[in-house]
Amino acid sequence: MGTSGSKARGLWPFASATGGGGPEAAAAEQALARPRGRVVPPFVFTRRGSMFYDEDGDLAHEFYEETIVTKNGQKRAKLRRVHKNLIPQGTVKLDTPRIHVDFPVILYEV
């Protein structure tokens, strides 16, 4: 309870050995900090897109088509959501890098 996904799996790439507690604690923390020797930057440069392309190449979160419904002799237009033939946007490059959600930093305004 209270842990993020990467902490729960035991992969905590942002930890550092610059804490108090003596050399034993620093050595133990450093051993846990690099499970495979790979250094991970604290920034995120891409994200998964949340929009879709339709057959015409338009990009939007949702697509609707107008249908004509006849009820009691009167024509009425209704919008029906389109679910078919939509292509996900894919990976989107961010304009400015973001800080990773698991990076342990406190942000404050002075």
Side-chain angles (χ1 to χ4, degrees):
M1 193 160 96
T3 61
S4 66
S6 63
K7 288 182 191 175
R9 287 189 300 261
L11 301 174
W12 185 241
F14 304 114
S16 67
T18 59
E24 299 86 25
E29 185 179 351
Q30 188 174 15
L32 291 175
R34 300 177 202 207
R36 292 188 177 94
R38 182 176 162 217
V39 178
V40 178
F43 300 108
V44 177
F45 299 99
T46 59
R47 67 173 176 83
R48 189 174 56 174
S50 60
M51 295 195 272
F52 297 90
Y53 290 103
D54 67 347
E55 305 103 11
D56 300 330
D58 296 328
L59 182 67
H61 287 282
E62 298 175 341
F63 288 95
Y64 294 92
E65 65 180 1
E66 187 176 6
T67 57
I68 304 296
V69 177
T70 304
K71 192 172 188 180
N72 295 333
Q74 294 181 353
K75 291 184 179 179
R76 189 171 156 222
K78 289 186 96 177
L79 294 177
R80 188 175 66 99
R81 188 168 176 191
V82 176
H83 295 283
K84 297 180 181 177
N85 299 328
L86 297 179
I87 302 167
Q89 184 181 13
T91 304
V92 177
K93 186 178 182 211
L94 296 171
D95 295 332
T96 57
R98 309 288 200 262
I99 296 177
H100 195 276
V101 68
D102 286 336
F103 187 68
V105 65
I106 299 172
L107 301 175
Y108 67 95
E109 184 176 339
V110 178

